[in-house]
């Protein structure tokens, strides 16, 4: 049975201390602790004399039942992973961006691990083709929330939380030209970055929370709006949209969600009943205007989405699910 975990991840958001504690730390590390595991962390973004040596030394000191990684870029050297594997440590990694990073990242690391967790069901066959047989489908989720979401006195009609990028800025301006004001929060927006607690308040006090993708977009109107838009599109590695944490955070934290559709979203929510989706800016504008004038229908979808998310889509749920599968692999 797995009781002792060596946790390898980032302590700070984007490894920048000024941005506060990372979501991954709150989501995985803190939940492991709350679930009763003994957890020994080594953080990518702490100033160790040598990160690779620190990981090897901590593994030998703590003798964990499992080493749990959230690889992000090249923080962990292949030689470090090889050394840990040769010593017989049971190792697992959470791969959260396989939709667009499998071919240029994940496949080079997959076989160092005893098991891999992927958020992309379409990558499972790719892992199997590499010889990695212990592949678990996981997913992003939300931190728990118990905020009130019924009979709310709303502060905003339409909001968006997330960093600004060329496409998102074009999208928001396009909605404004259609008579829809969007209150935007996050890096590079006028309102700036907000804390997780502030985010929860915004989600629950907004009639319509937009979830706008930052993956590559091929709307011709966007591409022709600026030469840079076309260049950025051709250069971007994020050529496939994906189910990210925001899909689960908005309803868990009490909000109605209008999201750009991504493949496999229907595996988590009943589209039209628990979440509403659009395919382009024209559909988004149409649906925003519709739901702003149909309160009862919007509130019904919101309440169903909140119930589903709180019952099935928190990080505690995700960890319980993948750990039950990891235990079976570990025992064998």
């Amino acid at each position: 049975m797995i009781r002792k975990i060596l946790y390898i991840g980032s302590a700070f958001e984007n490894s920048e201390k000024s941005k506060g504690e990372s979501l991954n730390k709150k989501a995985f590390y803190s939940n492991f602790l709350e679930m009763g595991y003994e957890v020994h962390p080594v953080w990518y973004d702490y100033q160790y004399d040598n990160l690779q040596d620190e990981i090897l030394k901590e593994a030998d000191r703590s003798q964990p039942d499992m080493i749990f990684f959230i690889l992000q870029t090249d923080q962990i050297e292949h030689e470090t992973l090889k050394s840990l594997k040769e010593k017989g440590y049971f190792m697992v990694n959470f791969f959260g961006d396989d939709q667009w990073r499998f071919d240029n990242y994940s496949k080079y690391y997959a076989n160092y691990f005893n098991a891999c967790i992927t958020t992309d069901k379409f990558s499972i066959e790719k892992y199997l083709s590499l010889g990695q047989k212990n592949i678990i489908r996981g997913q992003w989720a939300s931190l728990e929330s118990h905020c009130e979401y019924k009979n709310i006195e709303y502060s905003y009609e339409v909001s968006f939380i997330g960093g600004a990028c060329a496409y998102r800025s074009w999208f928001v301006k396009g909605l404004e030209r259609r008579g829809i004001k969007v209150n935007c929060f996050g890096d590079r927006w006028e309102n700036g970055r907000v804390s997780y607690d502030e985010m929860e308040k915004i989600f629950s006090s907004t009639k319509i929370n937009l979830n706008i993708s930052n993956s590559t977009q091929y709307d011709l109107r966007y591409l022709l709006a600026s030469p840079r838009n076309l260049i950025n599109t051709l250069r971007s590695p994020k050529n496939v949209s994906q189910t990210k944490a925001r899909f689960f955070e908005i309803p868990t934290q009490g909000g109605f969600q209008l999201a750009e559709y991504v493949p496999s979203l229907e595996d988590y929510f009943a589209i039209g009943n628990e979440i509403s989706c659009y395919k382009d800016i024209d559909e988004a504008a149409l649906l925003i205007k519709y739901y702003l004038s149909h309160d009862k229908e919007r509130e019904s979808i919101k309440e169903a989405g909140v119930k589903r998310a709180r019952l099935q889509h928190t990080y505690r749920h995700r960890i319980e699910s993948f750990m039950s599968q990891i235990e079976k692999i570990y025992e064998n």
Side-chain angles (χ1 to χ4, degrees):
M1 179 179 288
I2 296 171
R3 298 311 309 162
K4 188 186 298 184
I5 298 172
L6 174 57
Y7 182 93
I8 315 293
S10 58
F12 307 113
E13 198 65 25
N14 301 127
S15 291
E16 297 179 28
K17 192 172 183 178
S18 62
K19 292 187 176 181
E21 194 173 63
S22 73
L23 175 59
N24 289 345
K25 182 179 179 183
K26 297 174 184 176
F28 296 103
Y29 173 75
S30 296
N31 270 297
F32 277 134
L33 287 174
E34 290 178 11
M35 293 168 71
Y37 292 99
E38 179 183 334
V39 189
H40 300 261
V42 175
W43 305 109
Y44 296 148
D45 33 21
Y46 275 21
Q47 298 301 310
Y48 303 109
D49 291 336
N50 185 297
L51 175 61
Q52 312 307 312
D53 288 345
E54 184 65 26
I55 291 170
L56 295 170
K57 290 176 182 177
E58 184 55 44
D60 290 341
R61 279 195 297 263
S62 61
Q63 289 294 301
D65 301 314
M66 175 180 75
I67 305 179
F68 184 85
F69 294 81
I70 301 184
L71 294 181
Q72 294 175 317
T73 53
D74 56 355
Q75 293 100 336
I76 309 303
E77 296 174 2
H78 288 269
E79 284 301 314
T80 302
L81 295 171
K82 182 180 178 182
S83 179
L84 291 167
K85 184 177 182 180
E86 289 174 347
K87 290 183 178 184
Y89 289 111
F90 183 83
M91 301 195 296
V92 177
N93 186 68
F94 183 93
F95 288 99
D97 296 308
D98 280 335
Q99 291 85 347
W100 58 277
R101 292 186 78 196
F102 182 88
D103 292 324
N104 61 15
Y105 185 79
S106 303
K107 71 178 184 181
Y108 299 111
Y109 290 88
N111 285 325
Y112 287 112
F113 299 99
N114 299 87
C116 297
I117 303 168
T118 180
T119 60
D120 180 31
K121 69 178 181 180
F122 304 108
S123 290
I124 292 175
E125 292 298 326
K126 296 179 182 180
Y127 280 98
L128 294 173
S129 71
L130 294 176
Q132 174 53 268
K133 304 302 182 184
N134 296 324
I135 178 66
I136 298 167
R137 186 184 177 193
Q139 193 48 267
W140 298 104
S142 173
L143 300 181
E144 290 189 8
S145 172
H146 303 285
C147 71
E148 183 54 58
Y149 61 94
K150 296 182 180 179
N151 302 315
I152 293 296
E153 184 175 335
Y154 289 109
S155 301
Y156 309 102
E157 290 203 326
V158 185
S159 293
F160 170 73
I161 301 179
C165 64
Y167 176 72
R168 287 170 170 173
S169 296
W170 173 84
F171 196 95
V172 168
K173 290 177 182 176
L175 290 178
E176 289 177 350
R177 287 195 294 272
R178 291 165 170 81
I180 300 167
K181 173 179 171 55
V182 183
N183 298 278
C184 297
F185 305 86
D187 290 335
R188 298 177 299 281
W189 295 111
E190 184 178 349
N191 289 323
R193 188 180 181 87
V194 292
S195 69
Y196 208 84
D197 288 342
E198 290 171 322
M199 186 169 76
E200 180 180 67
K201 293 176 183 177
I202 293 167
F203 287 151
S204 63
S205 64
T206 294
K207 290 182 179 180
I208 297 175
N209 291 280
L210 289 177
N211 189 344
I212 309 169
S213 173
N214 66 346
S215 60
T216 302
Q217 299 290 331
Y218 299 101
D219 189 311
L220 189 60
R221 293 165 294 184
Y222 162 68
L223 296 176
L224 295 178
S226 165
R228 184 170 293 278
N229 291 351
L230 179 59
I231 293 170
N232 289 341
T233 298
L234 294 173
R235 289 178 176 174
S236 175
K238 300 182 73 171
N239 56 0
V240 180
S241 57
Q242 64 189 109
T243 307
K244 294 289 283 184
R246 188 69 82 238
F247 285 95
F248 308 106
E249 291 166 341
I250 291 172
T252 300
Q253 296 173 30
F256 170 89
Q257 178 172 195
L258 177 59
E260 180 182 331
Y261 172 77
V262 300
S264 80
L265 183 59
E266 60 275 8
D267 295 347
Y268 304 100
F269 294 103
I271 297 173
N273 293 318
E274 298 170 335
I275 185 175
S276 185
C277 294
Y278 64 86
K279 74 173 186 295
D280 59 22
I281 190 171
D282 297 314
E283 277 195 359
L286 181 71
L287 288 167
I288 289 169
K289 292 177 180 179
Y290 177 83
Y291 285 121
L292 286 177
S293 62
H294 290 76
D295 293 348
K296 187 175 180 179
E297 184 174 352
R298 186 192 68 239
E299 293 300 300
S300 175
I301 293 171
K302 181 185 80 169
E303 290 187 20
V306 172
K307 290 176 181 177
R308 169 65 71 91
R310 292 184 178 181
L311 283 173
Q312 296 183 3
H313 299 318
T314 69
Y315 283 106
R316 180 69 174 258
H317 295 126
R318 299 289 187 253
I319 293 172
E320 289 174 345
S321 176
F322 69 61
M323 284 304 294
S324 68
Q325 298 174 72
I326 288 171
E327 284 282 2
K328 293 176 183 177
I329 297 168
Y330 179 77
E331 292 170 3
N332 292 329

